[in-house]
Amino acid sequence: MTRIENYIGGQFSGAESGDTLPLIDPSINEEYGSIPASGDDDVERAVHAASRAFESWGGSTPTFRSGWLNRLADGIESRLEQFAEAESRDNGKPVSLARTVDIPRAIANFRFFAGAILHDSSDAYTDTPGALNYTLRHPLGVVGCISPWNLPLYLFSWKIAPALAAGNCVVGKPSEVTPLTAYLLAQTCDEIGFPEGVLNIVHGSGPSAGAAIVTHKDVRAISFTGGTATGRVIAKSAGEALKKVSLELGGKNPTIIFADANLDEAIDGAVRAGFSNQGQICLCGSRILIERSIYDEVRDRLVEAVSAIKVGDPLLEDTQMGAIVSEDHLNKIIHHLSIARSEGGVILCGGERVSLEGRCENGFFFSPTLIEGLEASCQTNQEEIFGPVATLLPFDDESKAIQLANSTPYGLAASVWTTNLETAHRVGHELQSGIVWVNCWMPRDLRTPFGGSKDSGMGREGGFHALRFFTESKNITIKTA
Ligand code: NAD
């Protein structure tokens, strides 16, 4: 059994209470370990360790911090296979995906911000009559980073890396559902001698350990990725304490296919957008909008492609879709399917729990599902399902496509498939979405702003946007004449 521990002030320990939560491998539905069920006392110790460490880390040079982030990236890279297997076991995702996307991206996050901090600069206004203005950017102090289960190390590192690069000390909490790679990260810190207390990792449930981080008076900012309902709770409590908060929340993203699109590429893109990581990516395109003149052809080709996705044991190299992350989440998806049926949806493929043979016979698998015949305003087309389920909706013209795309409370990401550059510009301009991809889905330049509008969140991560979030500006005016 794997016994995960908190990492506080450079030391490993259980929760002060001695309580634990179970760790379940979703591909076999077996308990394989435990995490500390941390609470106020553990967070208190972590904040204290971080505050002490900030006394030196907060005043260190960008070059010093950059060096440590690069060493951390090297440490993860040297254990890449171990990290990939842990991510797959914890989350149920294919190990091939963890090996080629999740872990390399986590390494890239540390390397990227190790570089970015060396290229940051601040403003100076030298032409104010009689005065010189320049702006300093100070780290905030102790910050909280709270992340979800779908891309565990990838999203945890996406917060921790800029926070540390900017000179803050971190109290981080990974999802209690997928804590294993955060524990390996702590072990990596320990191995390379990462300065004690600079990065503290506390495990436990959201309402207990997470809420203790959010409400701690010495935690100056919260960077949160997770569900919209949780985001609202955090925003309320952070607002009360006037804390900075960055919220990356849910999505119900449209994939828009125009009749002039390269259909081979569009269909391939729509399938990847809908079903990568079992459809459990906030950026997944779960509503596929298709121009009516090509609707039948695209529907039939999508059904063929989606039916061919191989659902299987995450540890097998040829598995394309692994397990759903937990039994609770599987039940949520099954519930959404019953709603879709009651709303009159026609299940074109999938729609059922999958039973595998052998090692994974008790695992939480669900078949990739396409549904048509639903109104845009129905629950299935409005609520985030966060599973391998996409709906198809026809549209007659560009303005209808835009109206359908914008018709949910969310506004995170969209992909537009067209060979007409003017259509791409016009539609891209009109979409209520933080991210628009044209003729592609998911390529990321880490310098670009990342985040959503409407119920998809507040604030932007990525590049200098993240470094701004994790610093406080101070302007200095000096009389010159
Ligand atoms: P969740 O909101 O249940 O949990 C996310 C994290 O918040 C976990 O670590 C959890 O323990 C913690 N948490 C829960 N309640 C808390 C509280 N009261 N105070 C403090 N922390 C608390 O989300 P999830 O189910 O882990 O993840 C799935 C959701 O995340 C989906 O809605 C998905 O769209 C969203 N997501 C968004 C992005 C993005 O960048 N916009 C990326 C990935 C996932």
Side-chain angles (χ1 to χ4, degrees):
M1 295 293 258
T2 305
R3 187 164 166 266
I4 285 177
E5 293 187 303
N6 290 333
Y7 180 62
I8 297 175
Q11 306 295 317
F12 289 95
S13 59
E16 295 273 321
S17 65
D19 294 343
T20 59
L21 297 171
L23 262 183
I24 312 285
D25 177 340
S27 67
I28 54 175
N29 187 15
E30 267 179 28
E31 189 172 331
Y32 69 95
S34 64
I35 63 166
S38 308
D40 290 345
D41 292 348
D42 307 284
V43 169
E44 182 62 45
R45 285 204 301 123
V47 174
H48 180 70
S51 302
R52 287 199 54 186
F54 183 68
E55 288 166 19
S56 52
W57 184 262
S60 64
T61 63
T63 311
F64 177 82
R65 299 194 296 270
S66 172
W68 276 112
L69 291 190
N70 275 322
R71 283 191 277 285
L72 200 46
D74 294 345
I76 301 169
E77 195 163 44
S78 70
R79 301 166 72 170
L80 194 146
E81 195 55 31
Q82 189 190 5
F83 271 93
E85 281 171 18
E87 206 70 295
S88 168
R89 182 179 205 190
D90 235 10
N91 174 278
K93 69 178 68 203
V95 68
S96 55
L97 187 70
R99 184 186 297 125
T100 53
V101 177
D102 290 73
I103 308 307
R105 170 60 194 275
I107 295 166
N109 287 342
F110 284 112
R111 294 221 169 103
F112 173 81
F113 282 105
I117 197 64
L118 299 181
H119 297 276
D120 202 6
S121 60
S122 62
D123 302 325
Y125 300 93
T126 57
D127 54 358
T128 314
L132 166 69
N133 282 285
Y134 64 93
T135 307
L136 299 177
R137 281 206 195 86
H138 294 297
L140 302 172
V142 180
V143 297
C145 296
I146 302 177
S147 56
W149 49 254
N150 63 325
L151 303 166
L153 190 66
Y154 176 145
L155 290 176
F156 199 43
S157 56
W158 182 232
K159 301 180 173 307
I160 289 171
L164 296 176
N168 303 281
C169 291
V170 170
V171 177
K173 194 197 87 63
S175 168
E176 60 275 37
V177 184
T178 53
L180 194 47
T181 46
Y183 181 54
L184 293 182
L185 178 69
Q187 287 182 340
T188 308
C189 287
D190 190 50
E191 263 167 32
I192 65 171
F194 201 77
E196 290 176 4
V198 170
L199 172 60
N200 304 276
I201 300 177
V202 178
H203 295 275
S205 76
S208 180
I213 296 171
V214 173
T215 54
H216 197 290
K217 67 177 182 10
D218 295 333
V219 174
R220 294 312 314 146
I222 300 293
S223 175
F224 169 79
T225 299
T228 296
T230 316
R232 285 189 212 284
V233 172
I234 290 176
K236 212 174 196 175
S237 130
E240 193 68 34
L242 296 180
K243 273 181 202 186
K244 258 182 145 177
V245 63
S246 161
L247 301 172
E248 301 296 339
L249 310 176
K252 189 75 180 174
N253 311 302
T255 299
I256 309 171
I257 307 178
F258 284 95
D260 64 4
N262 175 325
L263 287 193
D264 291 344
E265 289 180 9
I267 287 162
D268 178 62
V271 173
R272 284 191 303 107
F275 299 95
S276 295
N277 204 46
Q278 297 72 244
Q280 301 169 144
I281 305 180
C282 53
L283 307 166
C284 274
S286 52
R287 293 180 300 140
I288 306 175
L289 316 183
I290 306 162
E291 194 158 354
R292 200 178 296 278
S293 60
I294 55 164
Y295 182 85
D296 288 353
E297 179 191 352
V298 171
R299 177 196 56 205
D300 293 349
R301 290 180 64 181
L302 281 172
V303 169
E304 192 184 343
V306 170
S307 305
I309 293 173
K310 188 166 188 302
V311 180
D313 184 340
L315 296 182
L316 298 179
E317 293 298 327
D318 63 345
T319 291
Q320 293 169 307
M321 238 180 69
I324 301 300
V325 74
S326 68
E327 188 166 21
D328 278 355
H329 196 56
L330 176 69
N331 288 336
K332 184 185 153 197
I333 294 168
I334 291 170
H335 177 62
H336 272 287
L337 257 292
S338 70
I339 293 173
R341 288 189 177 95
S342 71
E343 290 177 323
V346 176
I347 313 296
L348 297 169
C349 61
E352 306 286 342
R353 183 173 181 169
V354 174
S355 296
L356 298 179
E357 290 181 356
R359 193 184 84 88
C360 297
E361 62 181 359
N362 296 320
F364 311 131
F365 295 86
F366 197 81
S367 53
T369 302
L370 289 172
I371 309 173
E372 71 171 355
L374 288 166
E375 292 295 322
S377 57
C378 73
Q379 210 176 328
T380 306
N381 273 321
Q382 291 291 314
E383 292 181 3
E384 185 185 45
I385 299 174
F386 215 54
V389 181
T391 58
L392 310 187
L393 288 147
F395 66 85
D396 288 309
D397 58 27
E398 188 180 306
S399 65
K400 185 66 183 172
I402 293 166
Q403 189 237 315
L404 288 175
N406 290 341
S407 69
T408 78
Y410 295 103
L412 184 56
S415 72
V416 182
W417 299 82
T418 176
T419 49
N420 185 327
L421 193 55
E422 289 177 14
T423 307
H425 280 299
R426 272 196 312 270
V427 176
H429 188 269
E430 293 303 319
L431 289 174
Q432 295 165 353
S433 180
I435 299 157
V436 177
W437 283 293
V438 176
N439 295 328
C440 57
W441 175 76
M442 201 53 165
R444 291 271 302 121
D445 180 326
L446 302 188
R447 295 171 299 182
T448 60
F450 178 89
S453 57
K454 304 199 289 188
D455 284 2
S456 291
M458 240 166 63
R460 293 293 181 268
E461 297 184 318
F464 293 126
H465 306 276
L467 294 178
R468 296 290 169 274
F469 174 75
F470 283 115
T471 49
E472 186 95 77
S473 298
K474 180 201 287 174
N475 193 69
I476 298 190
T477 307
I478 298 181
K479 185 180 170 196
T480 53

